[in-house]
Amino acid sequence: MIFVTVGTHQMPFNRLLVAVDAAGEGGLLGDAEIVVQSGSCTHRCAGTRQMAYVSGEEFDSLLDRADLVISHGGIGTVLTALRRRKHVIAIPRLQQFGEHNNDHQLQVCAELDRQHALFTSPDTADLPALLARDIAELSPFDPPTDIVDAVRADLASFARRRSR
Amino acid sequence: MTDRQITICLAAAPGGHLSELLNLRTAYESYPHFFVINEHTGRTDGRLGRVHHVPDYGVGTRWQRARAIVRLVSTSVRIYVMERPNVVVTTGPATGLVLAVLVRAAGGHVVYVECSAQVTVPSLSGRAFRWIANRFYVQWPTLLPHYPGAEYRGLLL
């Protein structure tokens, strides 16, 4: 199953859905089931199950079932997919197209690309090329996970120093 | 021996900054704490407990923002006197900056976490907190060269 998601940002991201449609018409998506979470987008993808929003549980379930995730570059969505070791193609929302207030998604995608965690391009015309990339090029995204522990230990240490 | 308790001021702008701060809950929740959040149009989550609001200094004309910054300073001083925090934990941007300066000046402890949206470019608030925070965390290793002394321990999301 291919899961396409644009996140819950209030600005639309039709550019991604149009590209997914074009890829589908070009036969690049095979005969996979395609599920689209379209947020505030107005574009309707042909031959897909499309919903504007899904519950947290349904989102997790769709993510689990997906063989490929085609996503906007929102760090929350991308991170959740990468933690589940999904094959991710991320297209960043860009300010110039009215898709976001700034271009931080571009930075996020570029850095994850540098770490070989996913495939990305700011240009949706590259989607066919991204679909053709070999999943063997990707490495698991395994950042440290102990920031909460570090802060907890730091606060405990300060509390101990205060009580002497 | 009595534990001289720490009182934590948790400061963040509403939205992404606040969500990331809340992911530190298991680190701060066992201590007395209160939130400082910028005034905003949405409803503040009632589950946060004690919340103080400071002006939103980012909107309006130059004059409006200048006046908001002055009010930010006076409001922060008032909160400091009322709550007497000795720790500030903040994910930015500048919501807790004045309180952090006051807490630090009084021998307290300041923890700053750069927001996950900052991947390659340091934020303005990060550049300020660099000089104030006792502990400074970045969420992307690409920022480490910009913040000597900062630690990278992964993402808060």
Side-chain angles (χ1 to χ4, degrees), chain A residues 21-94:
Chain A
D21 243 353
E25 274 165 39
L28 300 176
L29 303 178
D31 52 7
E33 177 198 358
I34 304 174
V35 179
V36 179
Q37 177 269 317
S38 54
S40 60
C41 293
T42 49
H43 184 82
R44 184 68 184 76
C45 287
T48 71
R49 194 178 123 217
Q50 181 162 333
M51 302 149 290
Y53 300 101
V54 296
S55 69
E57 294 90 3
E58 192 170 4
F59 183 85
D60 286 341
S61 153
L62 288 166
L63 210 52
D64 279 335
R65 276 210 298 128
D67 302 293
L68 169 64
V69 177
I70 302 177
S71 167
H72 73 138
I75 183 64
T77 309
V78 166
L79 206 58
T80 310
L82 290 177
R83 280 179 177 145
R84 283 168 162 78
R85 301 290 190 242
K86 294 296 169 179
H87 174 193
V88 176
I89 292 174
I91 310 286
R93 285 169 172 269
L94 296 176

Side-chain angles (χ1 to χ4, degrees), chain B residues 59-113:
Chain B
V59 292
T61 63
R62 243 196 351 215
W63 263 124
Q64 286 171 325
R65 282 180 300 184
R67 286 211 314 269
I69 288 169
V70 170
R71 271 180 40 224
L72 172 68
V73 175
S74 59
T75 309
S76 299
V77 171
R78 223 176 29 248
I79 295 169
Y80 180 78
V81 168
M82 195 187 313
E83 299 280 2
R84 296 288 182 186
N86 41 29
V87 176
V88 172
V89 178
T90 179
T91 47
T95 313
L97 183 60
V98 176
L99 279 153
V101 169
L102 294 168
V103 162
R104 195 69 214 264
H109 194 71
V110 174
V111 178
Y112 177 84
V113 183

Side-chain angles (χ1 to χ4, degrees), chain B:
Chain B
M1 176 187 73
T2 23
D3 249 6
R4 278 180 46 210
Q5 268 288 20
I6 66 175
T7 300
I8 305 178
C9 167
L10 299 155
H17 294 266
L18 181 60
S19 313
E20 292 190 11
L21 182 59
L22 293 174
N23 285 334
L24 284 171
R25 198 182 64 254
T26 57
Y28 63 71
E29 65 186 347
S30 59
Y31 303 101
H33 59 272
F34 62 93
F35 284 86
V36 174
I37 302 172
N38 301 82
E39 289 159 358
H40 60 110
T41 51
R43 277 199 328 267
T44 298
D45 194 335
R47 292 169 297 176
L48 294 182
R50 211 152 76 248
V51 177
H52 294 277
H53 287 100
V54 292
D56 185 356
Y57 45 81
V59 292
T61 63
R62 243 196 351 215
W63 263 124
Q64 286 171 325
R65 282 180 300 184
R67 286 211 314 269
I69 288 169
V70 170
R71 271 180 40 224
L72 172 68
V73 175
S74 59
T75 309
S76 299
V77 171
R78 223 176 29 248
I79 295 169
Y80 180 78
V81 168
M82 195 187 313
E83 299 280 2
R84 296 288 182 186
N86 41 29
V87 176
V88 172
V89 178
T90 179
T91 47
T95 313
L97 183 60
V98 176
L99 279 153
V101 169
L102 294 168
V103 162
R104 195 69 214 264
H109 194 71
V110 174
V111 178
Y112 177 84
V113 183
E114 182 88 296
C115 183
S116 69
Q118 305 296 137
V119 184
T120 49
V121 180
S123 66
L124 264 174
S125 60
R127 278 181 258 174
F129 269 97
R130 211 194 121 179
W131 305 104
I132 302 165
N134 297 86
R135 291 283 215 216
F136 193 109
Y137 297 95
V138 295
Q139 297 193 56
W140 296 94
T142 32
L143 283 178
L144 286 172
H146 297 279
Y147 295 122
E151 293 174 65
Y152 166 59
R153 304 281 212 123
L155 289 139
L156 257 183
L157 293 164

